């Protein structure tokens, strides 16, 4: 394998997709923490996410009025690990809000 292909493979293997689904109530804490820890600088945010997880359902209706938000970050493995640590800290601070974090390998195409 050529050196160039090897470097590209290394870079691709190191990429991660981090999805964080959280209550709107903690959005400010998420972005302040990202800025303070210099993580999650490049992200996509999806607003008004509904669903049911391990906390109260969030449907944005009269019965379950709250909503969730979702952030997707594509980053290197080392940054993903920092984001996971940050999410764990937030879960301790807000144990009943429902903060989910999913990490998977990502490939650049």
């Amino acid at each position: 394998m050529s050196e160039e292909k090897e470097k590209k493979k290394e870079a691709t293997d190191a990429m991660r997709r981090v999805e964080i689904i959280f209550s709107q109530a903690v959005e400010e804490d998420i972005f302040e923490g990202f800025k303070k820890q210099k993580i999650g600088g490049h992200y996509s945010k999806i607003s008004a996410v509904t669903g049911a997880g391990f906390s109260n359902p969030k449907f944005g209706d009269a019965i379950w009025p709250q909503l969730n938000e979702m952030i997707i970050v594509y980053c290197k493995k080392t940054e993903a690990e920092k984001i996971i640590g940050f999410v764990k800290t937030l879960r301790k601070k807000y144990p009943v809000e429902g903060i989910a974090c999913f990490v998977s390998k990502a490939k650049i195409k």
Side-chain angles (χ1 to χ4, degrees):
M1 186 179 295
S2 73
E3 188 176 326
E4 185 179 315
K5 285 184 180 181
E6 186 66 34
K7 285 182 182 180
K8 188 174 181 180
K9 183 180 181 330
E10 257 180 47
T12 302
D13 289 344
M15 294 298 293
R16 298 292 184 263
R17 175 186 167 118
V18 181
E19 298 177 16
I20 306 169
I21 303 168
F22 55 92
S23 170
Q24 285 179 325
V26 300
E27 179 179 1
E28 188 175 326
D29 290 80
I30 296 269
F31 287 109
E32 283 179 9
F34 276 12
K35 187 175 179 180
K36 185 177 180 180
Q37 295 188 28
K38 298 179 180 164
I39 55 176
H42 300 95
Y43 64 88
S44 293
K45 177 184 160 197
I46 303 169
S47 298
V49 175
T50 61
F54 294 102
S55 66
N56 287 333
K58 309 278 193 318
F59 295 133
D61 61 16
I63 298 169
W64 302 104
Q66 289 186 320
L67 290 168
N68 283 326
E69 303 285 331
M70 181 176 180
I71 297 173
I72 302 170
V73 179
Y74 286 93
C75 59
K76 292 185 178 182
K77 183 180 177 181
T78 54
E79 184 176 354
E81 290 167 355
K82 291 177 185 177
I83 293 171
I84 292 165
F86 171 65
V87 168
K88 287 179 180 179
T89 301
L90 271 183
R91 284 185 187 142
K92 288 178 185 173
K93 186 175 180 180
Y94 300 107
V96 297
E97 286 299 334
I99 303 169
C101 182
F102 303 93
V103 180
S104 57
K105 289 185 178 180
K107 291 185 180 180
I108 300 170
K109 298 274 183 175

